[in-house]
Structures are given as C-alpha cells and as structure tokens.
Amino acid sequence: EGKVYVSSSYNNTIITLTDSKGHVLATKSAGAVGFKGTKKSTSFAASRVAEAIATISKKLGIEKMEVLIKGIGAGRESAIRTLVAQGLNIVSIKDVTPIPHNGVKPKKVRRV
C-alpha cells in the first residue's frame, strides 16, 4: 500500500509516491519528465508524470493507493485518470487544497 500526492499548480504538476507511513519513495514532475516552459502546466504533461509514477510503483510492488490532490492546476483529473488506466487500485481520493477561512486583514481606516 502507498499514498500518491498530486500537487497541481498553474505552472507545474508534481507527483510524489510514499509508503503508508509517509516516507517518500519517488517524486516526478513535468519538468523531470521532459516538458519545458508553458507545456509543463498542461494536462498531457500531468498524464505523462502519472505514467512515470505508475511504472515506478509497479516496480516497487505497490498496488493499493490513496490519492491526495492539492492545487488548482490543469493536471488534477488527468493524473488520476492515468493512474487508474495504468491498472493501479485506487482506494480513496481526497482533495487537500488549502482554503483560506477568514480572508486577509482589512486596510486601516484612512485618516485625512
């Protein structure tokens, strides 16, 4: 068993494979797979990164996975679909994107 962390921003997609305790086993990003510039932020690049992580997890013998998604980039869904298409057993999918719950502090009142 293991966990897969998908961090998808506007500029890049980073996928990290850990064991069930949280120790990092492998990390891949769109830049590491071979994409440069604005192509790193595409969903196609995210699917290639997910394929690379899937092959590594099969070599390590990890079949059951828990997926945790963070961020609002284009590669969120395509990364998960690629992991499923590679034949990995996904147990759960969680969205752990940080959400501000009170906003920023308002400006001081202007004194004239």
Side-chain angles (χ1 to χ4, degrees):
E1 286 190 19
K3 292 182 181 180
V4 175
Y5 293 87
V6 179
S7 176
S8 178
S9 68
Y10 287 124
N11 297 321
N12 204 354
T13 302
I14 302 168
I15 301 180
T16 305
L17 175 68
T18 66
D19 60 3
S20 57
K21 293 178 183 175
H23 301 287
V24 176
L25 302 173
T27 302
K28 287 285 181 183
S29 69
V33 174
F35 293 92
K36 288 185 179 179
T38 56
K39 295 181 187 79
K40 288 196 295 185
S41 61
T42 60
S43 57
F44 179 71
S47 65
R48 291 284 174 241
V49 176
E51 281 180 19
I53 285 290
T55 55
I56 291 170
S57 68
K58 286 179 183 176
K59 285 180 185 175
L60 294 172
I62 298 171
E63 291 296 323
K64 284 186 177 180
M65 290 190 175
E66 192 177 325
V67 179
L68 293 101
I69 307 165
K70 182 186 274 189
I72 47 174
R76 287 167 52 107
E77 300 217 357
S78 63
I80 297 170
R81 288 184 181 165
T82 305
L83 289 172
V84 172
Q86 293 292 320
L88 298 173
N89 185 12
I90 293 180
V91 178
S92 69
I93 300 171
K94 289 183 185 175
D95 191 1
V96 291
T97 306
I99 301 167
H101 50 81
N102 204 8
V104 294
K105 188 175 176 181
K107 275 183 130 179
K108 287 194 288 185
V109 179
R110 187 168 172 258
R111 289 181 285 175
V112 180

